Amino acid sequence: MSKVFTKKHLLVCLAVSLALIVAGAFVFGFLGFGKDTTVQDKTVVEVNGYISQLSEEGREDFIEYCKNSLEEAGYSVLEADRYSETSGFNDSCRFVIASDTAYDAEAYDALAAGLEASIGALKNDTIENIETVAGLGVSVSVSVIENHSFASYAWRAAVAGASVLVIALIYTAIRFRPGMGVTVFAAGLHDVLLTLALIALFRIPVGVTLIAVAAFSLLASLTLNLLVCGGMRKNFRSEEWKELSSREAVTRSVKESRRNVLGVAVALAACAILVGVVGAVLGTDLAFAMVGGLLAVIVSAYSSLLLAPSLFAGIKERSDKRRAERARYDYVPAKERKKREQAAKQADEPEEAAAE
């Protein structure tokens, strides 16, 4: 019997995974996930009015004047855009600002009132290329656009992930074996939980992209585990493999599938790295999502090559025993059969000596 996928090996894998998941849950319970400081709520200063009546150069100077006024008030202007409405020639200039201080409604109200009064008094002699704006109906408002955190999507993502796992369980049980369906289900749940636990333990900053990382983890787990199950299904049909014990057959099959699994894992890791590169090119920080994706690939590879085969070997051993019992012959485990053969051989030796 192979010494690779034994019950002891399964217990060690489960103990390690359980310890990491519990530690990650403990850290998450007290500290939560690392906060992604690159994703913050947006404070928007919106200037409305018939700005389209100004000349093109006047509009540019008007936007620059508003931007400078906000910076003089102590705010950093991150974005400045102008939106035009064809109906009524009503325009709005929107400025995304940032401040070192916390949200203060009174301060923002004062900022809006001060900027509106300043713009209302703006005349041609104030800056070049701008006419009087007293009749443009300019109004200023400040609002906060909240970025949704992963928590707002967590339940929906959990329900979707559970549905995918159930579908994978049914599909694998029908196409391959019921034991493989249970193994794929358990491995998928394990991989997602362990990936999230490692993200919490390593304090990797996360935002809404955490949902994408969890989905990628589930995808990687199902892909690699189904690849291993497909190899087992093909090998177990051979007469040569039927002579092997359950654990030996599983071990040999996983060994043959190892190269394919590692190849697919490398391809999935390359996809995760590509996401980070594309984010850098587009100016979006996806580095943390890339790291989470790489963790998901590592966990899924470990699960498909070590944990899941150890679990399935035990399931297959019990299934083969029940199948043998249903076939109405006395099922004897390999160790017990060997002991009986040795006992019978020892009993025959005195009889042969007496006959001689």
Side-chain angles (χ1 to χ4, degrees), residues 4-63:
V4 178
F5 297 131
T6 61
K7 294 180 180 179
K8 181 179 179 181
H9 181 270
L10 174 61
L11 292 176
V12 170
C13 290
L14 289 176
V16 172
S17 296
L18 183 61
L20 291 173
I21 292 174
V22 170
F26 180 82
V27 172
F28 171 75
F30 283 91
L31 302 177
F33 287 112
K35 185 177 180 180
D36 187 357
T37 57
T38 63
V39 180
Q40 300 177 348
D41 296 340
K42 291 184 178 181
T43 301
V44 179
V45 177
E46 187 168 359
V47 181
N48 293 304
Y50 298 101
I51 304 170
S52 58
Q53 295 184 16
L54 298 174
S55 65
E56 183 176 352
E57 293 180 350
R59 288 194 294 267
E60 294 178 357
D61 287 344
F62 177 77
I63 294 175

Side-chain angles (χ1 to χ4, degrees), residues 50-265:
Y50 298 101
I51 304 170
S52 58
Q53 295 184 16
L54 298 174
S55 65
E56 183 176 352
E57 293 180 350
R59 288 194 294 267
E60 294 178 357
D61 287 344
F62 177 77
I63 294 175
E64 188 66 23
Y65 176 81
C66 294
K67 181 178 177 180
N68 293 335
S69 298
L70 292 171
E71 291 178 346
E72 290 175 0
Y75 298 92
S76 299
V77 178
L78 306 179
E79 300 176 19
D81 297 296
R82 174 175 167 267
Y83 300 88
S84 177
E85 298 180 8
T86 55
S87 177
F89 303 99
N90 190 28
D91 288 355
S92 64
C93 298
R94 299 179 186 178
F95 303 89
V96 178
I97 63 174
S99 171
D100 295 334
T101 60
Y103 173 79
D104 188 344
E106 293 183 359
Y108 285 155
D109 290 342
L111 173 65
L115 181 59
E116 184 173 335
S118 176
I119 294 174
L122 194 60
K123 295 182 179 180
N124 188 30
D125 57 354
T126 305
I127 56 175
E128 190 177 356
N129 296 322
I130 194 164
E131 304 85 350
T132 179
V133 296
L136 298 183
V138 173
S139 63
V140 180
S141 62
V142 180
S143 60
V144 177
I145 301 176
E146 296 183 358
N147 281 297
H148 293 286
S149 65
F150 65 89
S152 60
Y153 302 97
W155 283 111
R156 283 175 286 182
V159 171
S163 301
V164 171
L165 280 176
V166 171
I167 294 173
L169 167 64
I170 297 173
Y171 169 79
T172 309
I174 295 175
R175 180 171 176 78
F176 301 110
R177 292 187 179 184
M180 291 183 181
V182 174
T183 301
V184 169
F185 180 89
L189 181 61
H190 161 273
D191 295 353
V192 174
L193 291 178
L194 184 55
T195 299
L196 296 179
L198 292 176
I199 290 175
L201 284 173
F202 293 152
R203 310 305 300 155
I204 298 175
V206 298
V208 181
T209 54
L210 181 68
I211 304 300
V213 171
F216 182 74
S217 174
L218 182 57
L219 172 64
S221 176
L222 294 179
T223 300
L224 298 182
N225 280 287
L226 287 176
L227 183 62
V228 173
C229 289
M232 290 183 184
R233 176 173 177 267
K234 178 181 178 182
N235 292 329
F236 292 168
R237 290 179 174 180
S238 173
E239 293 296 330
E240 175 187 356
W241 288 73
K242 292 180 180 180
E243 301 296 328
L244 300 175
S245 67
S246 300
R247 296 185 183 274
E248 288 174 333
V250 172
T251 301
R252 284 185 54 179
S253 181
V254 173
K255 186 176 181 180
E256 291 188 359
S257 302
R258 187 175 301 164
R259 175 177 292 182
N260 293 334
V261 169
L262 293 178
V264 174

Side-chain angles (χ1 to χ4, degrees), residues 284-306:
T284 304
D285 192 354
L286 296 176
F288 300 137
M290 178 186 70
V291 174
L294 292 176
L295 281 177
V297 173
I298 294 172
V299 169
S300 298
Y302 151 76
S303 172
S304 61
L305 294 177
L306 296 175

Side-chain angles (χ1 to χ4, degrees), residues 274-322:
L274 182 61
V275 168
V277 173
V278 171
V281 172
L282 297 179
T284 304
D285 192 354
L286 296 176
F288 300 137
M290 178 186 70
V291 174
L294 292 176
L295 281 177
V297 173
I298 294 172
V299 169
S300 298
Y302 151 76
S303 172
S304 61
L305 294 177
L306 296 175
L307 178 63
S310 300
L311 175 61
F312 178 68
I315 295 175
K316 186 177 187 301
E317 189 175 48
R318 294 185 180 183
S319 177
D320 289 348
K321 181 179 180 180
R322 289 195 299 268

